[in-house]
Amino acid sequence: ERPALSVALTVQPEAVRGMFASRAARGRGLLARFFPSVPSSMVGHRTINAPPVHIPLEVHYRSVVRRLLDAPMTQAPTIVKLSPESTSLFHDFEVWVEGELQKGRGLGDRRDWGAKLCGGILRIALVLHCIEEFGLTGAERGKELGAHTLKAALSWAPYLIDHERRTTEIVGGDLDTATAELILSWLQRQREPSFTRRDCFTACRGRSIQRVEDLDGGLNVLKSLGYVRLVDDSTSTKIGRPSVRYEVN
């Protein structure tokens, strides 16, 4: 009745490149629900014959996880409220995120993901709250989430924002840029001085481009970089609906 699913994946960039380039996955809000992380590669700097994890740390970790697994489950959900100070802190964060979602601001070009950031931070806070209540002390579940816990969750925000952008750059999740690269590859092959939007759609149609309108973002990227220029075809004498024409630089 109240399904909840948590997904944790450790994958190579190539394994998810197609998913991030999928308009369907992005359009349905799938990608916006993930918090990606791109750790720096340790290859070339790894410790050979590294020592095992310290026994006290291993025991502590097992104890925390066991306490969480042994926590009683009730039929009705337990409501955990923010403390007054946490409420004020979270309100300030929501105001900041909303401003960043404006065009030209930090999250303005990734609104689908940014719009879910506040909810994601609250879920991180709830995980930390449960670890504190069950995992560390074994105390009964608290009904109020304290400011120190929310601050710990909020400290993840800069990291998550930075790594979401890095992931987009690595796997090509920027659909407009990916479309622009596809169009540019076609232009380099055909080597014609001009083309129509309809010609471009016929040549580039595929899984990520299923409508003529799907080209517009990529064409705008190429226009802004000076690869193509829009031609005024208003004087065309062709019969029927004229197709938008571009000149190639």
Side-chain angles (χ1 to χ4, degrees):
E1 294 181 0
R2 291 182 296 272
L5 178 66
S6 295
V7 180
L9 304 171
T10 305
V11 295
Q12 296 292 335
E14 287 298 332
V16 293
R17 191 180 299 276
M19 182 177 71
F20 273 79
S22 169
R23 291 183 183 275
R26 184 172 294 277
R28 294 172 182 171
L30 173 64
L31 301 182
R33 287 173 165 79
F34 281 89
F35 278 158
S37 174
V38 190
S40 300
S41 174
M42 294 295 293
V43 175
H45 304 279
R46 292 171 292 183
T47 301
I48 307 303
N49 296 324
V53 175
H54 293 299
I55 296 299
L57 179 59
E58 180 182 351
V59 171
H60 176 68
Y61 178 81
R62 288 179 178 273
S63 175
V64 169
V65 174
R66 177 54 60 187
R67 286 179 181 272
L68 290 170
L69 292 173
D70 289 341
M73 298 292 291
T74 58
Q75 291 297 321
T78 299
I79 305 301
V80 178
K81 297 183 178 180
L82 299 180
S83 69
E85 186 178 355
S86 294
T87 300
S88 177
L89 287 171
F90 190 66
H91 174 266
D92 292 343
F93 179 66
E94 286 183 298
V95 171
W96 178 80
V97 169
E98 192 65 25
E100 290 297 298
L101 291 173
Q102 297 175 15
K103 289 186 177 181
R105 302 289 292 275
L107 297 173
D109 60 343
R110 49 211 352 98
R111 291 182 173 183
D112 53 345
W113 184 86
K116 292 180 171 56
L117 179 59
C118 291
I121 290 296
L122 275 186
R123 284 190 284 275
I124 291 177
L126 185 59
V127 169
L128 297 177
H129 174 77
C130 289
I131 289 175
E132 290 174 340
E133 294 299 312
F134 284 122
L136 299 181
T137 66
E140 292 188 8
R141 188 175 304 181
K143 300 297 178 67
E144 194 172 82
L145 195 148
H148 69 289
T149 305
L150 184 62
K151 287 179 180 178
L154 289 173
S155 70
W156 277 82
Y159 174 92
L160 295 172
I161 292 172
D162 180 53
H163 280 250
E164 195 278 337
R165 188 173 293 278
R166 289 183 61 190
T167 301
T168 299
E169 295 170 352
I170 290 173
V171 303
D174 185 336
L175 297 179
D176 291 344
T177 301
T179 301
E181 291 175 346
L182 182 64
I183 298 172
L184 185 59
S185 177
W186 169 66
L187 293 175
Q188 290 171 336
R189 292 195 305 272
Q190 73 155 1
R191 304 187 68 81
E192 294 291 338
S194 66
F195 66 95
T196 66
R197 188 164 171 250
R198 188 180 298 115
D199 294 336
C200 185
F201 175 68
T202 301
C204 299
R205 186 174 184 177
R207 183 177 61 179
S208 61
I209 301 176
Q210 299 181 358
R211 304 173 304 161
V212 176
E213 292 77 11
D214 293 339
L215 292 170
D216 291 344
L219 288 170
N220 287 334
V221 170
L222 294 179
K223 280 199 306 180
S224 67
L225 296 176
Y227 283 96
V228 300
R229 181 176 64 183
L230 183 63
V231 179
D232 184 4
D233 260 5
S234 60
T235 60
S236 174
T237 58
K238 292 182 180 180
I239 299 175
R241 184 179 180 182
S243 179
V244 177
R245 177 169 290 276
Y246 293 86
E247 288 183 341
V248 181
N249 186 346

